[in-house]
Amino acid sequence: MQLTVFAVGRMKSGPERELTGRYLGRLEKAGPAVGLTFAGVTEIAESRASDTDRRKADEGAHCLSLAEDRTTALVAFDEGGKTLSSDEFARWIARQRDDGRKRALFAIGGPDGHAPSVLERADLAVSLGRMTWPHQIARILAAEQLYRAVSILAGHPYHRQ
């Protein structure tokens, strides 16, 4: 199954981008052993629409265009989502893979959050905690958890309990 990250907002050069890249590089190397390949990051610029609903709709349309096919599992990182343990997150990804999903899209919304249409389409909404995180840190957390999920599925000692 291919894993893709969708993100609203461009990641500038700096330590956040470097750390995100490090985790995604590890994911890319370790994933094939457990049937998961990293297909990259799709970034879009934040919408310039004048009101929140229109911005979210514009950004959401881009996200949904990548998840039109029901063989794509859509995960929306959203403050209103479920709080999962790393093991639960890894098991959810494994179930999607084992159920024949061809792709999983992990979506990080813009400053206004996800459009209602994205949350309705999402197979899973995941909270990164009750605190609000800057976009760059949310990307780091998502990348690290994707790598951690692969590590868990591979039985690698990176994840310790």
Side-chain angles (χ1 to χ4, degrees), residues 49-65:
S50 60
D51 68 276
T52 302
D53 290 339
R54 186 74 241 153
R55 283 191 301 272
K56 290 183 350 181
D58 290 349
E59 295 162 357
H62 285 283
C63 178
L64 292 175
S65 74

Side-chain angles (χ1 to χ4, degrees), residues 22-161:
R22 189 176 315 154
Y23 285 122
L24 294 177
R26 291 177 185 176
L27 167 64
E28 190 170 25
K29 289 177 185 164
V34 294
L36 300 171
T37 58
F38 179 59
V41 176
T42 298
E43 290 182 326
I44 65 163
E46 292 176 24
S47 170
R48 299 218 184 265
S50 60
D51 68 276
T52 302
D53 290 339
R54 186 74 241 153
R55 283 191 301 272
K56 290 183 350 181
D58 290 349
E59 295 162 357
H62 285 283
C63 178
L64 292 175
S65 74
L66 299 174
E68 290 177 320
D69 186 343
R70 291 305 291 186
T71 63
T72 298
L74 175 59
V75 177
F77 289 108
D78 183 77
E79 64 183 7
K82 294 180 182 180
T83 304
L84 301 177
S85 70
S86 296
D87 284 320
E88 290 168 330
F89 186 57
R91 283 194 305 271
W92 187 89
I93 292 170
R95 269 194 312 280
Q96 303 312 301
R97 177 200 62 201
D98 296 346
D99 288 346
R101 290 286 182 94
K102 301 215 180 309
R103 190 168 163 216
L105 180 67
F106 298 88
I108 301 169
D112 300 309
H114 288 292
S117 58
V118 171
L119 296 175
E120 289 166 14
R121 163 60 178 86
D123 296 284
L124 177 66
V126 176
S127 171
L128 294 173
R130 294 182 57 196
M131 295 179 170
T132 301
W133 299 104
H135 180 80
Q136 295 87 344
I137 293 176
R139 283 235 217 159
I140 294 168
L141 294 172
E144 193 280 338
Q145 284 302 297
L146 287 170
Y147 170 62
R148 185 174 294 273
V150 165
S151 297
I152 290 168
L153 297 175
H156 188 277
Y158 176 77
H159 179 72
R160 294 178 181 90
Q161 296 215 44

